[in-house]
Short mmCIF file of all heavy atoms in Angstrom, two decimals:
data_model
loop_
_atom_site.label_atom_id
_atom_site.label_comp_id
_atom_site.label_asym_id
_atom_site.label_seq_id
_atom_site.Cartn_x
_atom_site.Cartn_y
_atom_site.Cartn_z
N ILE A 423 8.60 -10.85 -20.44
CA ILE A 423 8.03 -11.14 -19.12
C ILE A 423 7.63 -9.84 -18.43
O ILE A 423 6.54 -9.75 -17.85
CB ILE A 423 9.03 -11.95 -18.26
CG1 ILE A 423 9.21 -13.35 -18.84
CG2 ILE A 423 8.53 -12.03 -16.81
CD1 ILE A 423 10.27 -14.19 -18.15
N ASN A 424 8.47 -8.84 -18.48
CA ASN A 424 8.14 -7.55 -17.87
C ASN A 424 6.93 -6.91 -18.54
O ASN A 424 6.08 -6.29 -17.88
CB ASN A 424 9.33 -6.60 -17.91
CG ASN A 424 10.37 -6.96 -16.87
OD1 ASN A 424 10.05 -7.53 -15.83
ND2 ASN A 424 11.61 -6.63 -17.15
N TRP A 425 6.81 -7.05 -19.85
CA TRP A 425 5.66 -6.52 -20.57
C TRP A 425 4.39 -7.23 -20.13
O TRP A 425 3.37 -6.59 -19.86
CB TRP A 425 5.87 -6.66 -22.08
CG TRP A 425 4.73 -6.15 -22.88
CD1 TRP A 425 4.46 -4.85 -23.18
CD2 TRP A 425 3.68 -6.93 -23.45
NE1 TRP A 425 3.31 -4.77 -23.92
CE2 TRP A 425 2.81 -6.03 -24.11
CE3 TRP A 425 3.41 -8.30 -23.49
CZ2 TRP A 425 1.68 -6.46 -24.77
CZ3 TRP A 425 2.27 -8.73 -24.16
CH2 TRP A 425 1.43 -7.82 -24.80
N ILE A 426 4.44 -8.55 -20.05
CA ILE A 426 3.28 -9.34 -19.59
C ILE A 426 2.90 -8.93 -18.19
O ILE A 426 1.73 -8.73 -17.86
CB ILE A 426 3.58 -10.85 -19.68
CG1 ILE A 426 3.66 -11.29 -21.14
CG2 ILE A 426 2.53 -11.66 -18.93
CD1 ILE A 426 4.21 -12.70 -21.33
N LYS A 427 3.90 -8.79 -17.34
CA LYS A 427 3.67 -8.39 -15.95
C LYS A 427 2.97 -7.04 -15.89
O LYS A 427 1.97 -6.88 -15.19
CB LYS A 427 5.01 -8.34 -15.21
CG LYS A 427 4.90 -7.91 -13.78
CD LYS A 427 6.29 -7.92 -13.16
CE LYS A 427 6.25 -7.45 -11.73
NZ LYS A 427 7.59 -7.46 -11.11
N SER A 428 3.48 -6.07 -16.61
CA SER A 428 2.93 -4.71 -16.57
C SER A 428 1.56 -4.61 -17.22
O SER A 428 0.66 -3.95 -16.71
CB SER A 428 3.87 -3.74 -17.27
OG SER A 428 5.09 -3.67 -16.59
N PHE A 429 1.41 -5.26 -18.36
CA PHE A 429 0.18 -5.09 -19.13
C PHE A 429 -0.96 -6.00 -18.67
O PHE A 429 -2.11 -5.60 -18.62
CB PHE A 429 0.45 -5.34 -20.61
CG PHE A 429 -0.72 -5.04 -21.49
CD1 PHE A 429 -1.11 -3.73 -21.72
CD2 PHE A 429 -1.44 -6.06 -22.07
CE1 PHE A 429 -2.20 -3.45 -22.53
CE2 PHE A 429 -2.53 -5.79 -22.88
CZ PHE A 429 -2.91 -4.48 -23.11
N PHE A 430 -0.65 -7.25 -18.33
CA PHE A 430 -1.70 -8.24 -18.07
C PHE A 430 -1.94 -8.56 -16.61
O PHE A 430 -3.06 -8.82 -16.21
CB PHE A 430 -1.38 -9.57 -18.78
CG PHE A 430 -1.73 -9.57 -20.22
CD1 PHE A 430 -0.78 -9.29 -21.17
CD2 PHE A 430 -3.01 -9.85 -20.63
CE1 PHE A 430 -1.09 -9.29 -22.51
CE2 PHE A 430 -3.35 -9.85 -21.97
CZ PHE A 430 -2.38 -9.58 -22.91
N LEU A 431 -0.89 -8.61 -15.81
CA LEU A 431 -1.05 -9.26 -14.53
C LEU A 431 -0.94 -8.36 -13.31
O LEU A 431 -1.74 -8.47 -12.40
CB LEU A 431 -0.02 -10.40 -14.42
CG LEU A 431 -0.10 -11.46 -15.52
CD1 LEU A 431 0.97 -12.50 -15.32
CD2 LEU A 431 -1.46 -12.11 -15.56
N CYS A 432 0.05 -7.53 -13.24
CA CYS A 432 0.30 -6.79 -12.01
C CYS A 432 -0.41 -5.44 -12.00
O CYS A 432 -0.88 -4.94 -13.02
CB CYS A 432 1.80 -6.61 -11.82
SG CYS A 432 2.60 -8.19 -11.57
N PHE A 433 -0.47 -4.90 -10.83
CA PHE A 433 -1.06 -3.58 -10.61
C PHE A 433 -2.56 -3.56 -10.87
O PHE A 433 -3.13 -2.52 -11.14
CB PHE A 433 -0.34 -2.50 -11.43
CG PHE A 433 1.15 -2.62 -11.37
CD1 PHE A 433 1.88 -2.93 -12.51
CD2 PHE A 433 1.83 -2.47 -10.18
CE1 PHE A 433 3.25 -3.06 -12.47
CE2 PHE A 433 3.21 -2.60 -10.12
CZ PHE A 433 3.92 -2.89 -11.27
N ARG A 434 -3.20 -4.71 -10.78
CA ARG A 434 -4.66 -4.78 -10.90
C ARG A 434 -5.26 -4.82 -9.50
O ARG A 434 -4.73 -5.45 -8.61
CB ARG A 434 -5.08 -6.02 -11.70
CG ARG A 434 -4.66 -5.95 -13.15
CD ARG A 434 -5.16 -7.16 -13.92
NE ARG A 434 -4.80 -7.06 -15.31
CZ ARG A 434 -5.60 -6.56 -16.25
NH1 ARG A 434 -6.80 -6.15 -15.93
NH2 ARG A 434 -5.19 -6.50 -17.49
N LYS A 435 -6.38 -4.16 -9.35
CA LYS A 435 -7.07 -4.09 -8.06
C LYS A 435 -8.52 -4.50 -8.26
O LYS A 435 -9.06 -4.43 -9.36
CB LYS A 435 -7.02 -2.66 -7.52
CG LYS A 435 -5.63 -2.08 -7.34
CD LYS A 435 -5.22 -2.21 -5.93
CE LYS A 435 -3.88 -1.52 -5.72
NZ LYS A 435 -3.24 -1.97 -4.54
N GLN A 436 -9.13 -4.91 -7.16
CA GLN A 436 -10.54 -5.24 -7.20
C GLN A 436 -11.19 -4.88 -5.87
O GLN A 436 -10.52 -4.79 -4.85
CB GLN A 436 -10.77 -6.72 -7.50
CG GLN A 436 -10.33 -7.65 -6.39
CD GLN A 436 -10.57 -9.11 -6.75
OE1 GLN A 436 -10.90 -9.46 -7.87
NE2 GLN A 436 -10.38 -9.98 -5.78
N ARG A 437 -12.50 -4.68 -5.92
CA ARG A 437 -13.27 -4.47 -4.70
C ARG A 437 -14.67 -4.99 -4.94
O ARG A 437 -15.07 -5.23 -6.08
CB ARG A 437 -13.27 -3.02 -4.25
CG ARG A 437 -14.00 -2.07 -5.16
CD ARG A 437 -13.93 -0.67 -4.62
NE ARG A 437 -14.61 0.25 -5.53
CZ ARG A 437 -14.84 1.50 -5.23
NH1 ARG A 437 -14.45 1.98 -4.08
NH2 ARG A 437 -15.46 2.27 -6.10
N VAL A 438 -15.42 -5.13 -3.89
CA VAL A 438 -16.76 -5.71 -3.96
C VAL A 438 -17.78 -4.66 -3.50
O VAL A 438 -17.53 -3.93 -2.53
CB VAL A 438 -16.86 -6.96 -3.06
CG1 VAL A 438 -18.27 -7.52 -3.05
CG2 VAL A 438 -15.87 -8.01 -3.52
N LYS A 439 -18.90 -4.61 -4.19
CA LYS A 439 -20.00 -3.75 -3.76
C LYS A 439 -21.14 -4.64 -3.28
O LYS A 439 -21.58 -5.54 -3.99
CB LYS A 439 -20.47 -2.88 -4.93
CG LYS A 439 -21.61 -1.95 -4.55
CD LYS A 439 -22.03 -1.10 -5.75
CE LYS A 439 -23.19 -0.19 -5.38
NZ LYS A 439 -23.64 0.60 -6.54
N LEU A 440 -21.58 -4.39 -2.05
CA LEU A 440 -22.65 -5.18 -1.46
C LEU A 440 -23.60 -4.23 -0.74
O LEU A 440 -23.16 -3.49 0.16
CB LEU A 440 -22.10 -6.23 -0.50
CG LEU A 440 -23.10 -7.14 0.19
CD1 LEU A 440 -23.84 -8.00 -0.83
CD2 LEU A 440 -22.42 -8.01 1.22
N ASN A 441 -24.85 -4.26 -1.14
CA ASN A 441 -25.87 -3.39 -0.54
C ASN A 441 -25.45 -1.92 -0.55
O ASN A 441 -25.64 -1.19 0.43
CB ASN A 441 -26.19 -3.83 0.89
CG ASN A 441 -26.83 -5.20 0.94
OD1 ASN A 441 -27.55 -5.60 0.02
ND2 ASN A 441 -26.55 -5.95 1.98
N GLY A 442 -24.83 -1.50 -1.63
CA GLY A 442 -24.46 -0.10 -1.78
C GLY A 442 -23.15 0.29 -1.12
O GLY A 442 -22.73 1.44 -1.19
N PHE A 443 -22.50 -0.64 -0.43
CA PHE A 443 -21.23 -0.36 0.24
C PHE A 443 -20.09 -1.06 -0.47
O PHE A 443 -20.24 -2.20 -0.93
CB PHE A 443 -21.28 -0.81 1.71
CG PHE A 443 -22.29 -0.05 2.53
CD1 PHE A 443 -23.56 -0.56 2.72
CD2 PHE A 443 -21.96 1.17 3.08
CE1 PHE A 443 -24.50 0.13 3.47
CE2 PHE A 443 -22.89 1.87 3.82
CZ PHE A 443 -24.17 1.36 4.02
N PHE A 444 -18.95 -0.40 -0.53
CA PHE A 444 -17.77 -0.95 -1.19
C PHE A 444 -16.77 -1.46 -0.17
O PHE A 444 -16.55 -0.84 0.87
CB PHE A 444 -17.08 0.11 -2.07
CG PHE A 444 -17.85 0.47 -3.29
CD1 PHE A 444 -18.69 1.57 -3.32
CD2 PHE A 444 -17.74 -0.31 -4.44
CE1 PHE A 444 -19.40 1.91 -4.46
CE2 PHE A 444 -18.45 0.02 -5.59
CZ PHE A 444 -19.28 1.12 -5.59
N SER A 445 -16.13 -2.57 -0.51
CA SER A 445 -15.02 -3.07 0.30
C SER A 445 -13.77 -2.26 0.00
O SER A 445 -13.76 -1.42 -0.90
CB SER A 445 -14.76 -4.55 -0.01
OG SER A 445 -14.24 -4.67 -1.33
N GLU A 446 -12.72 -2.53 0.73
CA GLU A 446 -11.42 -1.92 0.45
C GLU A 446 -10.89 -2.49 -0.87
O GLU A 446 -11.21 -3.60 -1.26
CB GLU A 446 -10.42 -2.24 1.57
CG GLU A 446 -10.79 -1.67 2.92
CD GLU A 446 -10.70 -0.16 2.95
OE1 GLU A 446 -9.77 0.39 2.31
OE2 GLU A 446 -11.56 0.47 3.60
N TRP A 447 -10.05 -1.73 -1.55
CA TRP A 447 -9.38 -2.23 -2.75
C TRP A 447 -8.33 -3.25 -2.36
O TRP A 447 -7.62 -3.07 -1.38
CB TRP A 447 -8.69 -1.08 -3.51
CG TRP A 447 -9.66 -0.21 -4.24
CD1 TRP A 447 -10.15 1.00 -3.83
CD2 TRP A 447 -10.26 -0.47 -5.51
NE1 TRP A 447 -11.02 1.51 -4.77
CE2 TRP A 447 -11.10 0.63 -5.81
CE3 TRP A 447 -10.17 -1.52 -6.41
CZ2 TRP A 447 -11.84 0.71 -6.98
CZ3 TRP A 447 -10.91 -1.43 -7.58
CH2 TRP A 447 -11.73 -0.34 -7.85
N ASN A 448 -8.25 -4.35 -3.10
CA ASN A 448 -7.26 -5.40 -2.86
C ASN A 448 -6.55 -5.74 -4.17
O ASN A 448 -7.13 -5.65 -5.25
CB ASN A 448 -7.92 -6.67 -2.31
CG ASN A 448 -8.37 -6.49 -0.89
OD1 ASN A 448 -7.56 -6.25 -0.02
ND2 ASN A 448 -9.67 -6.57 -0.66
N ASP A 449 -5.30 -6.17 -4.03
CA ASP A 449 -4.53 -6.60 -5.20
C ASP A 449 -5.10 -7.90 -5.75
O ASP A 449 -5.52 -8.78 -4.99
CB ASP A 449 -3.06 -6.84 -4.84
CG ASP A 449 -2.34 -5.56 -4.47
OD1 ASP A 449 -2.71 -4.49 -5.01
OD2 ASP A 449 -1.42 -5.62 -3.64
N VAL A 450 -5.11 -8.03 -7.06
CA VAL A 450 -5.49 -9.27 -7.72
C VAL A 450 -4.20 -10.07 -7.90
O VAL A 450 -3.29 -9.64 -8.59
CB VAL A 450 -6.15 -9.01 -9.09
CG1 VAL A 450 -6.46 -10.32 -9.80
CG2 VAL A 450 -7.41 -8.18 -8.91
N ILE A 451 -4.10 -11.23 -7.23
CA ILE A 451 -2.85 -12.01 -7.25
C ILE A 451 -2.95 -13.27 -8.09
O ILE A 451 -1.97 -14.01 -8.22
CB ILE A 451 -2.40 -12.36 -5.82
CG1 ILE A 451 -3.47 -13.18 -5.11
CG2 ILE A 451 -2.07 -11.10 -5.03
CD1 ILE A 451 -3.03 -13.76 -3.79
#
């Protein structure tokens, strides 16, 4: 479970680019 958590699911971030501007980074939940 800890391996799956570390490798696949947790600590992932995302942001959006729109018209050349980036949003803040957010956690992928």
Side-chain angles (χ1 to χ4, degrees):
I423 292 174
N424 284 332
W425 179 80
I426 290 169
K427 179 179 178 180
S428 296
F429 186 72
F430 280 96
L431 303 179
C432 295
F433 315 114
R434 293 183 178 265
K435 302 262 185 199
Q436 68 180 9
R437 67 180 178 171
V438 176
K439 181 180 179 182
L440 180 64
N441 295 328
F443 296 95
F444 289 96
S445 69
E446 296 292 323
W447 285 99
N448 288 298
D449 293 329
V450 176
I451 59 171

